[in-house]
Amino acid sequence: MSARAALALMLSLPLAAPAWSAAPGSAAPQFSLPGRDGQVALAAYRGKHVYLDFWASWCAPCKRSFPWMGELQKRFGPSGLVVVAVDVDATRADADRFLADVPAGFTVTFDPAGSVARQFAIKGMPSSMLIDPSGQVLYVHEGFTKSTPQAVEKHIEQALKK
């Protein structure tokens, strides 16, 4: 079974509880995942805005989004934004190959079982959301096109002004 097919199957499995709704105003599910430099917990970023992105090595739009997310971190990090990317590849080696080709200038975590992706009811790659300092979802976006940076940055700028 291919990694893409395994992910599709994994994300389609029913949850024990009703699926979380990624609607603005909802509380983001808490998680802790291994990162490149140790465990990464969403709760550690309370008090900051978080741009949370779900990605996979086989996702072509993800390759285009990574350089932009690195720029987001550089540009808005001093104002309190943290970019956190959650990899959903079944094997770390696939993610490591991707990261060797497309370096990440932001926090990267690994969710090979897809448990956090299921918590967030992720349906496609890339999927992202902007979370406010109290842990509430402000904005949700799926995919990455030419217009994505402008749309997302507008929401980030508005959020950081509050």
Side-chain angles (χ1 to χ4, degrees):
M1 178 182 296
S2 73
R4 182 178 281 183
L7 177 64
L9 175 63
M10 176 177 57
L11 293 177
S12 70
L13 295 174
L15 299 172
W20 173 79
S21 171
S26 62
Q30 295 301 302
F31 66 85
S32 180
L33 288 170
R36 292 183 287 184
D37 300 317
Q39 280 298 113
V40 176
L42 184 59
Y45 300 113
R46 282 289 173 122
K48 295 187 178 281
H49 285 86
V50 177
Y51 183 76
L52 182 64
D53 181 77
F54 289 84
W55 66 282
S57 63
W58 45 261
C59 167
C62 297
K63 288 181 182 177
R64 294 190 309 272
S65 71
F66 263 55
W68 169 73
M69 288 192 298
E71 288 301 315
L72 276 183
Q73 185 62 67
K74 283 182 194 172
R75 190 166 147 216
F76 294 110
S79 298
L81 180 75
V82 177
V83 176
V84 178
V86 179
D87 170 61
V88 298
D89 283 300
T91 64
R92 173 79 182 259
D94 291 337
D96 288 340
R97 278 190 294 278
F98 177 98
L99 293 167
D101 291 339
V102 187
F106 44 85
T107 301
V108 174
T109 66
F110 305 96
D111 183 23
S115 60
V116 174
R118 281 193 304 277
Q119 276 185 290
F120 279 83
I122 300 302
K123 294 179 179 77
M125 297 295 137
S127 288
S128 59
M129 61 199 63
L130 180 60
I131 301 169
D132 78 6
S134 71
Q136 299 295 307
V137 175
L138 295 175
Y139 176 72
V140 178
H141 185 81
E142 189 173 310
F144 189 83
T145 65
K146 288 180 184 179
S147 64
T148 299
Q150 183 178 0
V152 171
E153 289 175 29
K154 176 181 163 191
H155 287 278
I156 289 171
E157 289 167 351
Q158 288 173 348
L160 292 173
K161 286 179 185 175
K162 293 180 181 179

